[in-house]
Amino acid sequence: MDKKIGIVTLYNACNYGSFLQAFGLQTALEKEGYDTSFIKVPTEYNTIVGKGDFSDQYVEYEELKYSKLLDDQKKFKCIIEANEHMDYCVIGSDTIWNMFDRAYESLPFFVGRGLNCDKVISYAASVGQSHWIKILLKNTRKLWPIRKIDCISVRDDKTERIVHLFGRKCTRVLDPTFLCTFEDQKPDIFIPDKYVLVYTYGLQESEILNIKEFANKKDLQIVATGSLCDWADYNPVVNSFEWLWLIKNASFVITNTFHGTVFSVKYNKELAVITTTSDKINSLAKELKINNRICTSENMTAVFDNKIDYDYINKIISDKVKKSKKYLKESLK
């Protein structure tokens, strides 16, 4: 098969989930025999690493993390300009339709405009945390072009609702990280044999205290990644594949992120998701029947006391993976 596909996604953000969803989608498409390239996303380094009113220690952590992610991005075969011709363009996944995020709102090709190809589809697109009423009142015109996308698939309830309000049908699919396997890599640093992994972009002081209390009761060390967590026993800066290894080998995982939840479930880990306000996490939890893993730090111990029935969860995921792959194959005929 010699068809060429341009992938439109935020492949170069400063977090592991963004890289891995891009890498996962590329891998899934190439397994079907397609030649893939990423459409170039212009970014400002200062925005990516979060410089601003932050401590030097925080900026240093983010810069080192991003340098490792830049090395990871070398696995991407080719990055091209939006005006180069492709047979197909696939928009997705991640929160690329979040019209309140400056990283995407000024990029017309994220909603299908300005792409030089014969057919445009979306895969697992999401509006993220954008409030859907605010989108309709303020930012509808920025999302309006998605009505002209040939085939639309989304990954969450809110995005599905918005697509339907625009008068289009869409298919519900899983995040592309579920569509393939990844080669994890053990970090070349000391990691304790037994540990709680905390993956977060930030926690409240009360949540930190409750996590410490839980780890102490279980006689486990705390390994934290994702952001500066100087309160943890270990706060390593790792690359994306080392991060996967940390999840796979953790005794417990505590997170408040979407992809922290995704990979914990993918690797069948005992999981607690400390959040009640994330639409994308709530939607995923409902879809995979893991609503009971969402909690506050106060009732986290009770959540861990109830084991996850992964025989049941894995059957749900297997069925949804088949449907997701079917959508990709049929949309790219």
Side-chain angles (χ1 to χ4, degrees):
M1 186 182 296
D2 57 357
K3 296 292 185 180
K4 294 184 177 181
I5 293 181
I7 301 174
V8 181
T9 192
L10 200 70
Y11 55 83
N12 56 357
C14 191
N15 70 75
Y16 306 120
S18 288
F19 167 78
L20 289 166
Q21 61 83 22
F23 185 68
L25 182 55
Q26 180 188 54
T27 301
L29 290 169
E30 291 191 342
K31 281 186 176 180
E32 297 300 321
Y34 292 102
D35 181 11
T36 63
S37 300
F38 285 90
I39 305 297
K40 184 178 180 181
V41 178
T43 53
E44 295 182 10
Y45 181 73
N46 287 356
T47 301
I48 293 172
V49 301
K51 287 185 177 180
D53 297 327
F54 300 102
S55 68
D56 292 342
Q57 190 179 9
Y58 170 88
V59 172
E60 182 181 354
Y61 187 96
E62 293 294 300
E63 287 180 336
L64 182 55
K65 181 176 69 173
Y66 191 59
S67 70
K68 289 183 177 291
L69 283 161
L70 285 175
D71 285 337
D72 292 341
Q73 289 166 27
K74 293 176 182 177
K75 292 182 177 291
F76 295 147
K77 280 189 175 180
C78 184
I79 297 176
I80 63 173
E81 299 293 336
N83 60 0
E84 292 190 40
H85 183 265
M86 295 277 110
D87 294 293
Y88 304 102
C89 280
V90 180
I91 301 174
S93 61
D94 225 334
T95 57
I96 54 171
W97 290 344
N98 180 354
M99 291 296 101
F100 295 91
D101 192 312
R102 288 176 295 175
Y104 335 109
E105 65 174 356
S106 62
L107 302 176
F109 49 86
F110 272 58
V111 290
R113 293 173 54 209
L115 293 170
N116 184 9
C117 63
D118 302 322
K119 187 176 185 179
V120 179
I121 77 167
S122 73
Y123 184 83
S126 173
V127 297
Q129 288 298 98
S130 303
H131 195 288
W132 75 277
I133 293 179
K134 288 184 178 180
I135 292 174
L136 295 177
L137 292 176
K138 297 181 180 181
N139 286 49
T140 303
R141 62 179 180 82
K142 292 183 177 179
L143 278 177
W144 205 240
I146 70 175
R147 294 178 307 137
K148 295 183 179 181
I149 292 175
D150 295 288
C151 300
I152 302 176
S153 71
V154 301
R155 76 176 190 192
D156 58 74
D157 294 336
K158 186 194 298 182
T159 311
E160 186 173 25
R161 187 186 309 175
I162 289 171
V163 172
H164 288 164
L165 285 171
F166 285 175
R168 287 295 307 275
K169 293 181 179 180
C170 61
T171 302
R172 188 69 169 265
V173 295
L174 286 180
D175 188 84
T177 54
F178 282 109
L179 304 186
C180 60
T181 57
F182 295 87
E183 294 291 333
D184 59 276
Q185 176 184 344
K186 185 176 181 179
D188 190 22
I189 52 176
F190 175 77
I191 300 294
D193 292 333
K194 295 183 179 180
Y195 58 91
V196 178
L197 180 70
V198 180
Y199 179 56
T200 179
Y201 307 139
L203 292 166
Q204 300 294 324
E205 188 62 34
S206 59
E207 293 171 333
I208 293 171
L209 291 174
N210 287 327
I211 290 172
K212 285 183 173 181
E213 182 180 353
F214 171 79
N216 186 53
K217 285 181 179 178
K218 296 292 184 179
D219 194 26
L220 297 170
Q221 299 285 290
I222 298 174
V223 176
T225 63
S227 62
L228 179 65
C229 298
D230 51 8
W231 49 268
D233 297 303
Y234 300 92
N235 186 202
V237 182
V238 294
N239 67 34
S240 301
F241 304 99
E242 291 170 337
W243 177 70
L244 293 178
W245 187 94
L246 290 175
I247 294 177
K248 287 181 71 172
N249 290 276
S251 299
F252 301 92
V253 178
I254 300 168
T255 189
N256 55 6
T257 74
F258 178 82
H259 279 106
T261 304
V262 165
F263 280 101
S264 296
V265 174
K266 184 178 174 73
Y267 294 141
N268 289 189
K269 306 307 298 184
E270 289 303 321
L271 166 71
V273 186
I274 303 179
T275 179
T276 57
T277 60
S278 174
D279 295 321
K280 56 185 182 178
I281 292 177
N282 290 336
S283 184
L284 176 73
K286 182 176 74 173
E287 189 172 11
L288 300 185
K289 311 301 183 188
I290 55 167
N291 310 63
N292 61 349
R293 310 316 292 185
I294 298 177
C295 60
T296 64
S297 61
E298 285 81 2
N299 61 1
M300 181 176 60
T301 300
V303 166
F304 278 128
D305 286 341
N306 294 309
K307 300 282 186 181
I308 301 177
D309 182 0
Y310 273 115
D311 288 338
Y312 173 64
I313 303 302
N314 289 336
K315 288 178 182 177
I316 295 173
I317 293 173
S318 177
D319 181 57
K320 292 184 180 296
V321 165
K322 290 176 183 177
K323 291 178 180 178
S324 299
K325 289 183 176 180
K326 181 181 178 182
Y327 164 81
L328 268 180
K329 288 180 180 179
E330 292 184 351
S331 299
L332 296 173
K333 285 182 179 177

